[in-house]
Every structure is written in structure tokens, then in C-alpha cells.
Amino acid sequence: MDFIDSKETIEELINNNKMVLLYFGSNSCNVCNVMKPKVEELLKDYPKIKSYQVDVEKSLEISAAYNIFTIPAVLVFIEGKEIIREARHISMQDIDSKINRFYNMIFEE
């Protein structure tokens, strides 16, 4: 996941892609450091999702704009709207199930 630190760039990505996952975390957060590789592994099953990481310590304005109060947080935007939001105690099985349902509808081949 690439780091992103511009609110304008995030809004552009959300509006120009069918599915975008934003991962909010921090290097000083142990839970974040454990969750990030799990989220990256999950994303391998969904190659059409654009994914980016926001470092909350360096991007307070972005964190505030997206109402991030606890980390780690995963936000998934589908066709410009926030559809999935998981924070703090994230069940990878739950998030996989939610993403899978929408992913298959949007990217039906």
C-alpha cells in the first residue's frame, strides 16, 4: 500500500475508481503494525481495489476529514461512497466477507 497525504488526491481517487480502500494507521501503533500486513494480504485477492495508507500522525487534517478517532481503521469507498468502515478491533474475516460481496457485484465478469 502506498502512502498518501493529500486530501484532494484521496477525493480524486475515490471519485475516479470503483473501489478504494484507505488504511489509517501509525508506525507507533502496535496494533496497526500487526494489522497492516493482514490487510495487504487480503487485498491480493482483490486486485481491482485501489488501496492507500494514511499515517494519522503526519496527516491530521485527513484523519479529521474522515472522522478517524481510533486506529487502525479501514474505510472502503464504492463508487464514491463510504460503504465499509472498520476500526480498532478489525475482524479480517468480516471485512473479507463484506468486500467480497461488493467486489463481485461491481467487477462481475
Side-chain angles (χ1 to χ4, degrees), residues 59-85:
S59 303
L60 294 174
E61 180 187 333
I62 296 171
S63 300
Y66 289 97
N67 297 313
I68 301 300
F69 299 108
T70 60
I71 53 174
V74 173
L75 276 59
V76 179
F77 295 83
I78 300 172
E79 295 178 343
K81 295 182 182 77
E82 181 185 318
I83 302 297
I84 301 169
R85 176 182 285 251

PDB file of all heavy atoms in Angstrom, residues 59-85:
ATOM      1  N   SER A  59      -0.790  13.143   8.981  1.00  0.00           N
ATOM      2  CA  SER A  59      -1.912  13.663   8.190  1.00  0.00           C
ATOM      3  C   SER A  59      -3.142  13.879   9.069  1.00  0.00           C
ATOM      4  O   SER A  59      -4.189  13.266   8.859  1.00  0.00           O
ATOM      5  CB  SER A  59      -2.233  12.684   7.060  1.00  0.00           C
ATOM      6  OG  SER A  59      -1.100  12.467   6.262  1.00  0.00           O
ATOM      7  N   LEU A  60      -3.011  14.758  10.040  1.00  0.00           N
ATOM      8  CA  LEU A  60      -4.115  15.013  10.968  1.00  0.00           C
ATOM      9  C   LEU A  60      -5.338  15.575  10.257  1.00  0.00           C
ATOM     10  O   LEU A  60      -6.468  15.247  10.598  1.00  0.00           O
ATOM     11  CB  LEU A  60      -3.665  15.959  12.085  1.00  0.00           C
ATOM     12  CG  LEU A  60      -2.602  15.399  13.033  1.00  0.00           C
ATOM     13  CD1 LEU A  60      -2.127  16.475  14.008  1.00  0.00           C
ATOM     14  CD2 LEU A  60      -3.143  14.199  13.789  1.00  0.00           C
ATOM     15  N   GLU A  61      -5.116  16.413   9.250  1.00  0.00           N
ATOM     16  CA  GLU A  61      -6.236  17.011   8.522  1.00  0.00           C
ATOM     17  C   GLU A  61      -7.068  15.936   7.817  1.00  0.00           C
ATOM     18  O   GLU A  61      -8.299  15.964   7.847  1.00  0.00           O
ATOM     19  CB  GLU A  61      -5.713  18.021   7.497  1.00  0.00           C
ATOM     20  CG  GLU A  61      -6.813  18.698   6.702  1.00  0.00           C
ATOM     21  CD  GLU A  61      -6.264  19.575   5.579  1.00  0.00           C
ATOM     22  OE1 GLU A  61      -5.127  20.070   5.706  1.00  0.00           O
ATOM     23  OE2 GLU A  61      -6.981  19.750   4.594  1.00  0.00           O
ATOM     24  N   ILE A  62      -6.399  14.965   7.207  1.00  0.00           N
ATOM     25  CA  ILE A  62      -7.106  13.884   6.517  1.00  0.00           C
ATOM     26  C   ILE A  62      -7.857  13.029   7.528  1.00  0.00           C
ATOM     27  O   ILE A  62      -9.020  12.684   7.323  1.00  0.00           O
ATOM     28  CB  ILE A  62      -6.127  13.015   5.691  1.00  0.00           C
ATOM     29  CG1 ILE A  62      -5.505  13.848   4.573  1.00  0.00           C
ATOM     30  CG2 ILE A  62      -6.840  11.791   5.120  1.00  0.00           C
ATOM     31  CD1 ILE A  62      -4.377  13.149   3.843  1.00  0.00           C
ATOM     32  N   SER A  63      -7.199  12.714   8.633  1.00  0.00           N
ATOM     33  CA  SER A  63      -7.841  11.901   9.668  1.00  0.00           C
ATOM     34  C   SER A  63      -9.096  12.591  10.187  1.00  0.00           C
ATOM     35  O   SER A  63     -10.136  11.960  10.383  1.00  0.00           O
ATOM     36  CB  SER A  63      -6.870  11.653  10.829  1.00  0.00           C
ATOM     37  OG  SER A  63      -5.730  10.975  10.355  1.00  0.00           O
ATOM     38  N   ALA A  64      -9.010  13.893  10.393  1.00  0.00           N
ATOM     39  CA  ALA A  64     -10.168  14.655  10.869  1.00  0.00           C
ATOM     40  C   ALA A  64     -11.272  14.680   9.817  1.00  0.00           C
ATOM     41  O   ALA A  64     -12.455  14.510  10.133  1.00  0.00           O
ATOM     42  CB  ALA A  64      -9.751  16.071  11.230  1.00  0.00           C
ATOM     43  N   ALA A  65     -10.893  14.855   8.558  1.00  0.00           N
ATOM     44  CA  ALA A  65     -11.876  14.925   7.481  1.00  0.00           C
ATOM     45  C   ALA A  65     -12.674  13.627   7.350  1.00  0.00           C
ATOM     46  O   ALA A  65     -13.849  13.644   6.987  1.00  0.00           O
ATOM     47  CB  ALA A  65     -11.186  15.249   6.161  1.00  0.00           C
ATOM     48  N   TYR A  66     -12.045  12.502   7.682  1.00  0.00           N
ATOM     49  CA  TYR A  66     -12.715  11.204   7.575  1.00  0.00           C
ATOM     50  C   TYR A  66     -13.149  10.664   8.940  1.00  0.00           C
ATOM     51  O   TYR A  66     -13.472   9.484   9.066  1.00  0.00           O
ATOM     52  CB  TYR A  66     -11.822  10.206   6.820  1.00  0.00           C
ATOM     53  CG  TYR A  66     -11.738  10.564   5.362  1.00  0.00           C
ATOM     54  CD1 TYR A  66     -10.662  11.295   4.866  1.00  0.00           C
ATOM     55  CD2 TYR A  66     -12.757  10.233   4.481  1.00  0.00           C
ATOM     56  CE1 TYR A  66     -10.594  11.668   3.533  1.00  0.00           C
ATOM     57  CE2 TYR A  66     -12.699  10.596   3.149  1.00  0.00           C
ATOM     58  CZ  TYR A  66     -11.619  11.323   2.683  1.00  0.00           C
ATOM     59  OH  TYR A  66     -11.569  11.687   1.360  1.00  0.00           O
ATOM     60  N   ASN A  67     -13.170  11.531   9.947  1.00  0.00           N
ATOM     61  CA  ASN A  67     -13.646  11.178  11.294  1.00  0.00           C
ATOM     62  C   ASN A  67     -12.964   9.930  11.851  1.00  0.00           C
ATOM     63  O   ASN A  67     -13.622   9.015  12.339  1.00  0.00           O
ATOM     64  CB  ASN A  67     -15.166  10.986  11.293  1.00  0.00           C
ATOM     65  CG  ASN A  67     -15.880  12.258  10.945  1.00  0.00           C
ATOM     66  OD1 ASN A  67     -15.579  13.321  11.483  1.00  0.00           O
ATOM     67  ND2 ASN A  67     -16.815  12.172  10.019  1.00  0.00           N
ATOM     68  N   ILE A  68     -11.640   9.913  11.777  1.00  0.00           N
ATOM     69  CA  ILE A  68     -10.875   8.795  12.314  1.00  0.00           C
ATOM     70  C   ILE A  68     -10.520   9.117  13.763  1.00  0.00           C
ATOM     71  O   ILE A  68      -9.762  10.042  14.038  1.00  0.00           O
ATOM     72  CB  ILE A  68      -9.586   8.553  11.492  1.00  0.00           C
ATOM     73  CG1 ILE A  68      -9.931   8.269  10.036  1.00  0.00           C
ATOM     74  CG2 ILE A  68      -8.752   7.426  12.100  1.00  0.00           C
ATOM     75  CD1 ILE A  68     -10.798   7.050   9.786  1.00  0.00           C
ATOM     76  N   PHE A  69     -11.111   8.369  14.685  1.00  0.00           N
ATOM     77  CA  PHE A  69     -10.862   8.595  16.111  1.00  0.00           C
ATOM     78  C   PHE A  69     -10.058   7.474  16.745  1.00  0.00           C
ATOM     79  O   PHE A  69      -9.435   7.667  17.777  1.00  0.00           O
ATOM     80  CB  PHE A  69     -12.189   8.767  16.859  1.00  0.00           C
ATOM     81  CG  PHE A  69     -12.978   9.947  16.369  1.00  0.00           C
ATOM     82  CD1 PHE A  69     -14.120   9.764  15.623  1.00  0.00           C
ATOM     83  CD2 PHE A  69     -12.559  11.241  16.629  1.00  0.00           C
ATOM     84  CE1 PHE A  69     -14.853  10.852  15.156  1.00  0.00           C
ATOM     85  CE2 PHE A  69     -13.270  12.337  16.162  1.00  0.00           C
ATOM     86  CZ  PHE A  69     -14.424  12.136  15.432  1.00  0.00           C
ATOM     87  N   THR A  70     -10.111   6.285  16.153  1.00  0.00           N
ATOM     88  CA  THR A  70      -9.315   5.160  16.642  1.00  0.00           C
ATOM     89  C   THR A  70      -8.616   4.515  15.459  1.00  0.00           C
ATOM     90  O   THR A  70      -9.124   4.537  14.336  1.00  0.00           O
ATOM     91  CB  THR A  70     -10.190   4.095  17.346  1.00  0.00           C
ATOM     92  OG1 THR A  70     -11.149   3.604  16.422  1.00  0.00           O
ATOM     93  CG2 THR A  70     -10.886   4.664  18.559  1.00  0.00           C
ATOM     94  N   ILE A  71      -7.444   3.975  15.733  1.00  0.00           N
ATOM     95  CA  ILE A  71      -6.697   3.290  14.681  1.00  0.00           C
ATOM     96  C   ILE A  71      -6.340   1.890  15.167  1.00  0.00           C
ATOM     97  O   ILE A  71      -6.287   1.667  16.374  1.00  0.00           O
ATOM     98  CB  ILE A  71      -5.423   4.076  14.265  1.00  0.00           C
ATOM     99  CG1 ILE A  71      -4.562   4.405  15.470  1.00  0.00           C
ATOM    100  CG2 ILE A  71      -5.791   5.297  13.480  1.00  0.00           C
ATOM    101  CD1 ILE A  71      -3.232   5.042  15.143  1.00  0.00           C
ATOM    102  N   PRO A  72      -6.116   0.964  14.281  1.00  0.00           N
ATOM    103  CA  PRO A  72      -6.207   1.111  12.838  1.00  0.00           C
ATOM    104  C   PRO A  72      -7.662   1.252  12.382  1.00  0.00           C
ATOM    105  O   PRO A  72      -8.574   0.831  13.090  1.00  0.00           O
ATOM    106  CB  PRO A  72      -5.596  -0.185  12.315  1.00  0.00           C
ATOM    107  CG  PRO A  72      -5.861  -1.188  13.383  1.00  0.00           C
ATOM    108  CD  PRO A  72      -5.774  -0.406  14.668  1.00  0.00           C
ATOM    109  N   ALA A  73      -7.823   1.824  11.210  1.00  0.00           N
ATOM    110  CA  ALA A  73      -9.151   1.953  10.614  1.00  0.00           C
ATOM    111  C   ALA A  73      -9.064   1.630   9.133  1.00  0.00           C
ATOM    112  O   ALA A  73      -8.097   1.997   8.473  1.00  0.00           O
ATOM    113  CB  ALA A  73      -9.687   3.363  10.810  1.00  0.00           C
ATOM    114  N   VAL A  74     -10.061   0.933   8.659  1.00  0.00           N
ATOM    115  CA  VAL A  74     -10.150   0.593   7.238  1.00  0.00           C
ATOM    116  C   VAL A  74     -11.452   1.177   6.716  1.00  0.00           C
ATOM    117  O   VAL A  74     -12.523   0.910   7.262  1.00  0.00           O
ATOM    118  CB  VAL A  74     -10.138  -0.942   7.026  1.00  0.00           C
ATOM    119  CG1 VAL A  74     -10.395  -1.287   5.571  1.00  0.00           C
ATOM    120  CG2 VAL A  74      -8.834  -1.543   7.500  1.00  0.00           C
ATOM    121  N   LEU A  75     -11.348   1.989   5.677  1.00  0.00           N
ATOM    122  CA  LEU A  75     -12.522   2.558   5.024  1.00  0.00           C
ATOM    123  C   LEU A  75     -12.522   2.084   3.581  1.00  0.00           C
ATOM    124  O   LEU A  75     -11.478   2.124   2.920  1.00  0.00           O
ATOM    125  CB  LEU A  75     -12.475   4.085   5.039  1.00  0.00           C
ATOM    126  CG  LEU A  75     -12.963   4.823   6.283  1.00  0.00           C
ATOM    127  CD1 LEU A  75     -12.179   4.425   7.512  1.00  0.00           C
ATOM    128  CD2 LEU A  75     -12.881   6.304   6.079  1.00  0.00           C
ATOM    129  N   VAL A  76     -13.661   1.606   3.130  1.00  0.00           N
ATOM    130  CA  VAL A  76     -13.785   1.176   1.742  1.00  0.00           C
ATOM    131  C   VAL A  76     -14.862   2.035   1.083  1.00  0.00           C
ATOM    132  O   VAL A  76     -15.986   2.122   1.574  1.00  0.00           O
ATOM    133  CB  VAL A  76     -14.147  -0.321   1.625  1.00  0.00           C
ATOM    134  CG1 VAL A  76     -14.287  -0.722   0.161  1.00  0.00           C
ATOM    135  CG2 VAL A  76     -13.095  -1.184   2.318  1.00  0.00           C
ATOM    136  N   PHE A  77     -14.461   2.662  -0.012  1.00  0.00           N
ATOM    137  CA  PHE A  77     -15.366   3.511  -0.775  1.00  0.00           C
ATOM    138  C   PHE A  77     -15.732   2.779  -2.060  1.00  0.00           C
ATOM    139  O   PHE A  77     -14.859   2.257  -2.751  1.00  0.00           O
ATOM    140  CB  PHE A  77     -14.699   4.844  -1.122  1.00  0.00           C
ATOM    141  CG  PHE A  77     -14.405   5.674   0.098  1.00  0.00           C
ATOM    142  CD1 PHE A  77     -13.258   5.460   0.841  1.00  0.00           C
ATOM    143  CD2 PHE A  77     -15.293   6.655   0.499  1.00  0.00           C
ATOM    144  CE1 PHE A  77     -12.986   6.211   1.966  1.00  0.00           C
ATOM    145  CE2 PHE A  77     -15.027   7.417   1.627  1.00  0.00           C
ATOM    146  CZ  PHE A  77     -13.877   7.201   2.374  1.00  0.00           C
ATOM    147  N   ILE A  78     -17.021   2.732  -2.336  1.00  0.00           N
ATOM    148  CA  ILE A  78     -17.500   2.073  -3.537  1.00  0.00           C
ATOM    149  C   ILE A  78     -18.285   3.091  -4.343  1.00  0.00           C
ATOM    150  O   ILE A  78     -19.245   3.676  -3.840  1.00  0.00           O
ATOM    151  CB  ILE A  78     -18.373   0.848  -3.188  1.00  0.00           C
ATOM    152  CG1 ILE A  78     -17.525  -0.150  -2.384  1.00  0.00           C
ATOM    153  CG2 ILE A  78     -18.945   0.214  -4.445  1.00  0.00           C
ATOM    154  CD1 ILE A  78     -18.284  -1.304  -1.800  1.00  0.00           C
ATOM    155  N   GLU A  79     -17.814   3.316  -5.570  1.00  0.00           N
ATOM    156  CA  GLU A  79     -18.424   4.288  -6.470  1.00  0.00           C
ATOM    157  C   GLU A  79     -18.658   5.629  -5.772  1.00  0.00           C
ATOM    158  O   GLU A  79     -19.720   6.226  -5.847  1.00  0.00           O
ATOM    159  CB  GLU A  79     -19.701   3.714  -7.073  1.00  0.00           C
ATOM    160  CG  GLU A  79     -19.380   2.509  -7.952  1.00  0.00           C
ATOM    161  CD  GLU A  79     -20.589   1.832  -8.576  1.00  0.00           C
ATOM    162  OE1 GLU A  79     -21.717   2.063  -8.116  1.00  0.00           O
ATOM    163  OE2 GLU A  79     -20.371   1.054  -9.512  1.00  0.00           O
ATOM    164  N   GLY A  80     -17.630   6.080  -5.033  1.00  0.00           N
ATOM    165  CA  GLY A  80     -17.642   7.400  -4.429  1.00  0.00           C
ATOM    166  C   GLY A  80     -18.254   7.506  -3.050  1.00  0.00           C
ATOM    167  O   GLY A  80     -18.209   8.566  -2.432  1.00  0.00           O
ATOM    168  N   LYS A  81     -18.820   6.409  -2.525  1.00  0.00           N
ATOM    169  CA  LYS A  81     -19.470   6.466  -1.215  1.00  0.00           C
ATOM    170  C   LYS A  81     -18.781   5.528  -0.233  1.00  0.00           C
ATOM    171  O   LYS A  81     -18.377   4.421  -0.586  1.00  0.00           O
ATOM    172  CB  LYS A  81     -20.939   6.050  -1.334  1.00  0.00           C
ATOM    173  CG  LYS A  81     -21.771   6.996  -2.162  1.00  0.00           C
ATOM    174  CD  LYS A  81     -23.221   6.529  -2.195  1.00  0.00           C
ATOM    175  CE  LYS A  81     -24.069   7.428  -3.043  1.00  0.00           C
ATOM    176  NZ  LYS A  81     -23.896   7.223  -4.471  1.00  0.00           N
ATOM    177  N   GLU A  82     -18.673   5.993   1.023  1.00  0.00           N
ATOM    178  CA  GLU A  82     -18.114   5.121   2.057  1.00  0.00           C
ATOM    179  C   GLU A  82     -19.142   4.049   2.383  1.00  0.00           C
ATOM    180  O   GLU A  82     -20.247   4.342   2.812  1.00  0.00           O
ATOM    181  CB  GLU A  82     -17.791   5.924   3.321  1.00  0.00           C
ATOM    182  CG  GLU A  82     -17.182   5.058   4.404  1.00  0.00           C
ATOM    183  CD  GLU A  82     -16.971   5.798   5.712  1.00  0.00           C
ATOM    184  OE1 GLU A  82     -16.532   6.972   5.693  1.00  0.00           O
ATOM    185  OE2 GLU A  82     -17.260   5.195   6.752  1.00  0.00           O
ATOM    186  N   ILE A  83     -18.765   2.795   2.161  1.00  0.00           N
ATOM    187  CA  ILE A  83     -19.680   1.677   2.363  1.00  0.00           C
ATOM    188  C   ILE A  83     -19.246   0.823   3.546  1.00  0.00           C
ATOM    189  O   ILE A  83     -20.072   0.293   4.272  1.00  0.00           O
ATOM    190  CB  ILE A  83     -19.763   0.804   1.084  1.00  0.00           C
ATOM    191  CG1 ILE A  83     -20.210   1.641  -0.116  1.00  0.00           C
ATOM    192  CG2 ILE A  83     -20.672  -0.393   1.290  1.00  0.00           C
ATOM    193  CD1 ILE A  83     -21.604   2.230  -0.013  1.00  0.00           C
ATOM    194  N   ILE A  84     -17.940   0.689   3.738  1.00  0.00           N
ATOM    195  CA  ILE A  84     -17.427  -0.156   4.821  1.00  0.00           C
ATOM    196  C   ILE A  84     -16.510   0.683   5.693  1.00  0.00           C
ATOM    197  O   ILE A  84     -15.657   1.416   5.186  1.00  0.00           O
ATOM    198  CB  ILE A  84     -16.652  -1.372   4.253  1.00  0.00           C
ATOM    199  CG1 ILE A  84     -17.557  -2.221   3.355  1.00  0.00           C
ATOM    200  CG2 ILE A  84     -16.049  -2.206   5.381  1.00  0.00           C
ATOM    201  CD1 ILE A  84     -16.815  -3.275   2.543  1.00  0.00           C
ATOM    202  N   ARG A  85     -16.687   0.565   7.013  1.00  0.00           N
ATOM    203  CA  ARG A  85     -15.810   1.234   7.976  1.00  0.00           C
ATOM    204  C   ARG A  85     -15.594   0.268   9.133  1.00  0.00           C
ATOM    205  O   ARG A  85     -16.533  -0.149   9.785  1.00  0.00           O
ATOM    206  CB  ARG A  85     -16.428   2.528   8.495  1.00  0.00           C
ATOM    207  CG  ARG A  85     -15.572   3.210   9.575  1.00  0.00           C
ATOM    208  CD  ARG A  85     -16.218   4.465  10.108  1.00  0.00           C
ATOM    209  NE  ARG A  85     -16.107   5.551   9.162  1.00  0.00           N
ATOM    210  CZ  ARG A  85     -15.305   6.611   9.340  1.00  0.00           C
ATOM    211  NH1 ARG A  85     -14.567   6.720  10.414  1.00  0.00           N
ATOM    212  NH2 ARG A  85     -15.262   7.556   8.417  1.00  0.00           N
TER     213      ARG A  85
END
